Amino acid sequence: MRALRYDSFGGPVTIETVPDPRPEPLDAIVKVSRTGLCRSDYRAWKGHDADVVLPCIPGHEYAGTVVAAPTLPHLVGRRVVVPFVIACGDCPECQHGQGQVCRFQRQPGFTDPGSFAEFVLVPRARTNLVPLPDSVGDDAAASLGCRFATAWRALVGVARIQQGDSVVVFGAGGVGLAAIMIASAMDAQVVAVDISDDALALADRFGAQVIPVGARNRPQDIAAQVREILPDGAAIGIDAVGSPTLATASVLSLRRRGRHVQVGLMDGDSSTLPIGDIVARELTVLGSHGMAASDYPELLRHVEAGRLEPQLLVTATVGLAGAASALVGMGGSGQPSGIRLVDPQS
Ligand SMILES: [Zn+2]
Ligand SMILES: [Zn+2]
């Protein structure tokens, strides 16, 4: 099969012909229809993720069709999405429905061959395949593998958003825009903070009031801008980027007893949050990491009903060759906004 591959961190990303994956009895093989280009792919290629095994076929956010499943033959031919955290199904976390933090987790594009390929192997298929309703198209389904599901779980499962809560989203990339769409669908008052005018234009389209910031803004200044819109502060703040400045700005933007959710990964875990403020105002700081397959049905019901439309976040679709140049270019300025998808069959 054709697949994108790199052999060294920061090195060339090339299209190679590699052996088709062969399933063991508990595995499935999925023919990839759409796969998303996520910032984590860029971090992995740059060598900022200690779990990456070289040579690496990147890609962890995808939807496709099951073409082989030795112990689940009834799923062959079904369209599926697969969460990027491949859970074992057996460990204590998995037994409690928390496969997103499985202690034996594997991740395509990091520990295992990824989805920038015609086919991808899904270990522990019974635990990890999520069948898709026919009405949920490939463009909508792809980002459910990582970014859209991550935003959903951060707001609904982790922050426990209530109808009418105020939400401030730091970073209007794929995860941030998804969070804006989800919070708006729940009648939240949503504020979006970003440095990109293009990203903020999309945030505005999906229902957020927008705050442009510069790379040198201090957290205190950003929080003051949020409070011009939300004088009492936000019920929920999300750092969708992974920035010490934005994480601190999020905490400072919260109302009393508000919840900060950290979604973006930080290089070097270098954040210092204002602990005194967290104690004095009884703030809650939460981490959120993907979503277990068992939590997908509720999200899929909202997508099926048209209350959430992940496909509207898709701004471009490229083939494998386009994915190679897009991946290595992700660190540059002027990046396209929204979710970019790859069709690895083209
Ligand atoms: Zn991702
Ligand atoms: Zn497990």
Side-chain angles (χ1 to χ4, degrees), residues 153-165:
R153 186 162 172 281
L155 279 171
V156 176
V158 174
R160 302 199 173 279
I161 185 173
Q162 304 293 313
Q163 199 89 15
D165 268 347

Side-chain angles (χ1 to χ4, degrees), residues 116-130:
F116 290 177
E118 291 179 78
F119 300 96
V120 65
L121 184 146
V122 183
R124 298 288 177 137
R126 188 183 302 279
T127 300
N128 294 294
L129 293 180
V130 180

Side-chain angles (χ1 to χ4, degrees), residues 38 40 60 146:
C38 177
S40 303
H60 61 279
C146 176

Side-chain angles (χ1 to χ4, degrees), residues 273-296:
L273 292 176
I275 297 294
D277 193 39
I278 290 168
V279 173
R281 297 196 298 123
E282 286 202 348
L283 308 178
T284 303
V285 175
L286 300 152
S288 190
H289 183 250
M291 185 165 85
S294 54
D295 285 338
Y296 273 70

Side-chain angles (χ1 to χ4, degrees), residues 262-281:
Q262 188 63 38
V263 173
L265 296 167
M266 284 184 203
D267 296 338
D269 283 335
S270 55
S271 181
T272 306
L273 292 176
I275 297 294
D277 193 39
I278 290 168
V279 173
R281 297 196 298 123

Side-chain angles (χ1 to χ4, degrees), residues 207-246:
Q209 292 170 272
V210 301
I211 298 176
V213 294
R216 294 180 184 279
N217 279 96
R218 297 183 315 145
Q220 295 85 345
D221 301 330
I222 298 170
Q225 287 180 272
V226 173
R227 284 173 186 278
E228 287 177 16
I229 299 173
L230 302 171
D232 280 346
I236 298 170
I238 294 182
D239 173 12
V241 176
S243 149
T245 298
L246 295 180

